Amino acid sequence: MLVLTAVTGLIDTFSYLSLGHVFVAYMTGNVVFLGVSLQPSAHLSGVASAIAVGGFVLGSLTGGRIAARLSRRPRRWLVAALAAEAVLLALVALVSGSGLITPDGRSAEHGSAHAGGPCAYVSIALLALAAGLQNSTVRHFGVRDLNTSVLTLTLTGLTADSALGGGQGAKAHRRVGSIAAMLGGAVVAAALLQISATAVVVLAAVLVALVSGAFATGRSAVSGADVVAGKVAAGAA
């Protein structure tokens, strides 16, 4: 889960800095961008944000369907969902590596501003689809305090439940780890972007593939998922 959180930091940093100020996993930001884009002087692409939200929703629906069909066989479920995400990220890496997307998020063919151009929009859609798939799968997996994408509730829980906030500080290590993983992913992505934008997405795809492989071979991971499978099945019933 921490590795997947770092992946979120990687792809959101890539999309924001290379695809024209749009997020692919942080949908709260995109909803705000959609509103702000109505003001022409803001120079934000409402189309890019809308594509990201649409791709994310489609990915979430896909993840939900995969969970509903395969959660009784948790190994196959988790491997299939994460392998699909890795493939989507690999496709974006191919698009980026082809040179059709310039480092500032403009289409090399059209030179349009913001995240314009079909290749940039396709990249945004694929990344958002991957992020939605990941988020839906993690939601069904149900690991508390490790949702891999949203840190607002994590920060709230870390502080409100701390001894200073009158709580007992439960699960503080998970919450701190989640924050550190997201920050680390963003830092690495920002550094790699100075060398190669494609390398950021390649790294994200490799990390997701490794997590998929871990679920394919790790007995403890699969046995822990058995509990989740029961919850999903009960919810479906």
Side-chain angles (χ1 to χ4, degrees):
M1 296 301 101
L2 290 176
V3 172
L4 293 178
T5 303
V7 167
T8 298
L10 286 168
I11 62 174
D12 257 347
T13 302
F14 169 81
S15 66
Y16 188 82
L17 295 179
S18 294
L19 296 176
H21 301 309
V22 61
F23 292 113
V24 291
Y26 181 54
M27 289 300 110
T28 301
N30 283 326
V31 172
V32 172
F33 287 165
L34 277 172
V36 174
S37 68
L38 297 177
Q39 173 55 254
S41 62
H43 303 296
L44 287 175
S45 173
V47 174
S49 294
I51 289 174
V53 172
F56 188 90
V57 170
L58 181 59
S60 297
L61 288 172
T62 303
R65 295 301 301 173
I66 293 175
R69 289 180 176 273
L70 298 180
S71 61
R72 295 179 185 275
R73 291 172 287 182
R75 186 189 300 273
R76 180 177 295 184
W77 162 41
L78 296 170
V79 171
L82 294 173
E85 180 184 354
V87 169
L88 290 170
L89 293 173
L91 289 174
V92 176
L94 288 174
V95 173
S96 177
S98 69
L100 294 176
I101 301 296
T102 60
D104 64 354
R106 302 183 181 189
S107 168
E109 183 177 343
H110 294 81
S112 53
H114 307 303
C119 291
Y121 288 143
V122 167
S123 296
I124 292 168
L126 290 175
L127 286 172
L129 186 65
L133 179 59
Q134 174 182 302
N135 275 265
S136 180
T137 302
V138 169
R139 175 180 173 83
H140 283 97
F141 198 59
V143 180
R144 187 176 179 183
D145 300 314
L146 288 174
N147 58 37
T148 78
S149 63
V150 181
L151 295 184
T152 303
L153 293 178
T154 303
L155 283 167
T156 301
L158 178 64
T159 53
D161 295 344
S162 67
L164 189 61
Q168 298 180 351
K171 308 292 185 182
H173 63 289
R174 284 189 177 184
R175 291 163 176 165
V176 171
S178 183
I179 295 168
M182 182 79 76
L183 177 62
V187 169
V188 170
L192 281 178
L193 282 171
Q194 303 302 312
I195 305 170
S196 169
T198 304
V200 178
V201 191
V202 169
L203 176 59
V206 169
L207 290 175
V208 174
L210 288 174
V211 175
S212 178
F215 279 123
T217 59
R219 293 182 179 179
S220 60
V222 175
S223 63
D226 288 337
V227 178
V228 181
K231 292 179 180 179
V232 175

